[in-house]
Amino acid sequence: MRASVVNYCAEIGKDPLLVQGAGGNVSWKDGDTLWVKASGTWLADAAVKEIFVPVDLPHLKNEIAGGNFGVTPRLSGESSLRPSIETLLHALMPHKVVVHVHAIEVLARLVREDFDTHVAVPLGNRLKWIKVEYKKPGADLARAVHEALAERSDADIVFLRNHGVVIGGSDIADIDSKLCLLVSLLESPVCETVPTRTAVKALKVNSGVEYQPIVDGSLHQLALNPALFERLGADWALYPDHVVFLGAQAHCYEDEKEFIESVVHNEVMPELAFIRGGGVLAQAGFSQAKQAQLRCYADVITRQPRDCALSSLSRSQIGELLNWDAERYRQQMAK
Ligand SMILES: [Zn+2]
């Protein structure tokens, strides 16, 4: 089982439409051991280093049965890594293999206000699925999934609104066929790109902080396309990884002059600046993990129909993500 899981992780980990940076996690059950991805590791690295941690499965099942979703998983072997924040989610699914991803075609629909029209109707009764409303990842989310599964115990697909999907299966082939079907049923057209005019240039501000045009040139569309630029202000905090890596709000400027004045006066020194009609600037040292998240966001919002209402996380939901030690650890692990 290990070899097929590792190969699959390395494969999906390379596809930004399925996995972004350190996001997503995978597990398999082997007797009393739950092998689960370690927090902060990348699925894409599965074939080149150990990203899995062995966890005591009967212990977790006992705690879940007793309603203790805040339990700290117990390692059942040597590892210097910490099990994923979502370990309980993997333990409570009865399936041999469990894959949780933020697949773009699915996520792009899970952030829309009208779930029935955009997810339930296109799926029909082709798959056995349940949905849970947004919950903070970890204990709260695990409890919600556990309760939803009690209503439909044969479900093998769990939609997490404003977050992603969990798929359970007997083996990797089973998981892959479900994921492929989901992606094809929920695919959305991508909006047209706007031609690049004068792109923003690198600049150094008085405090020595350097800003450079974002390395992935396609991301300038976020500032060049007027419809996407509006989304930055109105629909920024759509799902947890985005907020954790890129912050509670987008820093948008009407033009380069407004941005320069703002940083000269040291009002805010944002890591990312979106200049309307100009492009996207990032502070030097903007990490790969953050860039993967920005790409994810662009992939999600370029798939939104023009007038489609999206649901964003509330201020308190954003606050609980940003003041969370488990996420700080994952951030430190990020490259
Ligand atoms: Zn997730």
Side-chain angles (χ1 to χ4, degrees), residues 23-25 86 100-102 137 141 160 163-164 240-241:
N25 37 67
E86 302 297 4
H100 163 55
V101 285
H102 312 141
L141 181 60
L160 314 175
H163 185 152
D241 269 13

Side-chain angles (χ1 to χ4, degrees), residues 166-178:
V166 186
I167 304 171
S170 52
D171 54 26
I172 285 296
D174 183 25
I175 296 271
D176 188 51
S177 73
K178 287 169 187 162

Side-chain angles (χ1 to χ4, degrees), residues 17-327:
L17 292 180
L18 294 177
V19 173
Q20 306 78 25
N25 37 67
V26 170
S27 71
W28 78 94
K29 298 177 183 80
D30 182 8
D32 283 347
T33 300
L34 171 72
W35 287 93
V36 66
K37 198 198 79 156
S39 182
T41 59
W42 291 40
L43 289 172
D45 291 336
V48 291
K49 62 178 177 190
E50 180 61 270
I51 63 162
F52 291 99
V53 191
V55 168
D56 182 343
L57 184 57
H59 166 240
L60 286 185
K61 281 187 169 169
N62 255 332
E63 295 295 325
I64 289 166
N68 179 15
F69 292 89
V71 59
T72 304
R74 214 184 261 165
L75 294 191
S76 58
E78 286 290 302
S79 178
S80 57
L81 299 167
R82 268 194 215 182
S84 162
I85 290 167
E86 302 297 4
T87 298
L88 254 72
L89 200 58
H90 290 263
L92 64 83
M93 296 279 289
H95 311 81
K96 186 102 182 148
V97 185
V98 176
V99 169
H100 163 55
V101 285
H102 312 141
I104 297 294
E105 299 295 358
V106 184
L107 179 59
R109 287 173 182 252
L110 293 174
V111 300
R112 296 180 192 167
E113 255 174 28
D114 185 351
F115 178 89
D116 288 347
T117 303
H118 295 287
V119 183
V121 171
L123 291 185
N125 50 13
R126 270 170 281 223
L127 291 157
K128 292 172 283 178
W129 59 267
I130 49 172
K131 70 156 178 180
V132 296
E133 296 303 320
Y134 174 78
K135 289 281 183 284
K136 180 185 172 188
D140 296 353
L141 181 60
R143 182 185 298 276
V145 172
H146 185 67
E147 284 167 5
L149 274 174
E151 302 288 313
R152 182 170 186 179
S153 58
D154 67 338
D156 46 22
I157 292 176
V158 186
F159 291 113
L160 314 175
R161 292 197 73 185
N162 289 89
H163 185 152
V165 63
V166 186
I167 304 171
S170 52
D171 54 26
I172 285 296
D174 183 25
I175 296 271
D176 188 51
S177 73
K178 287 169 187 162
L179 178 59
C180 290
L181 181 58
L182 267 186
V183 167
S184 68
L185 291 172
L186 298 180
E187 202 173 343
S188 302
V190 177
C191 70
E192 279 180 34
T193 53
V194 171
T196 310
R197 283 162 292 169
T198 43
V200 279
K201 292 185 206 68
L203 66 107
K204 201 175 201 167
V205 294
N206 50 351
S207 53
V209 175
E210 259 182 80
Y211 284 92
Q212 281 152 359
I214 193 92
V215 177
D216 178 349
S218 67
L219 296 177
H220 289 302
Q221 286 297 316
L222 293 168
L224 297 174
N225 181 326
L228 300 184
F229 192 80
E230 294 310 317
R231 293 274 190 203
L232 293 171
D235 301 311
W236 174 256
L238 293 175
Y239 44 90
D241 269 13
H242 179 75
V243 171
V244 167
F245 284 87
L246 299 178
Q249 64 176 99
H251 295 274
C252 298
Y253 303 88
E254 286 306 310
D255 49 38
E256 215 168 336
K257 187 167 160 268
E258 189 193 48
F259 168 63
I260 292 168
E261 273 173 15
S262 157
V263 290
V264 163
H265 294 116
N266 274 335
E267 284 164 17
V268 263
M269 205 67 86
E271 253 197 310
L272 272 179
F274 300 92
I275 320 282
R276 187 193 287 274
V280 183
L281 286 170
Q283 276 191 22
F286 190 69
S287 70
Q288 276 184 55
K290 290 180 179 182
Q291 192 148 279
Q293 284 306 324
L294 190 62
R295 167 81 190 271
C296 175
Y297 179 75
D299 285 334
V300 166
I301 62 165
T302 51
R303 281 167 172 76
Q304 301 308 331
R306 213 181 163 98
D307 297 316
C308 188
L310 308 186
S311 81
S312 298
L313 304 187
S314 68
R315 287 178 84 93
S316 66
Q317 287 166 338
I318 293 170
E320 66 183 8
L321 286 168
L322 294 176
N323 300 310
W324 188 20
D325 284 345
E327 280 294 10

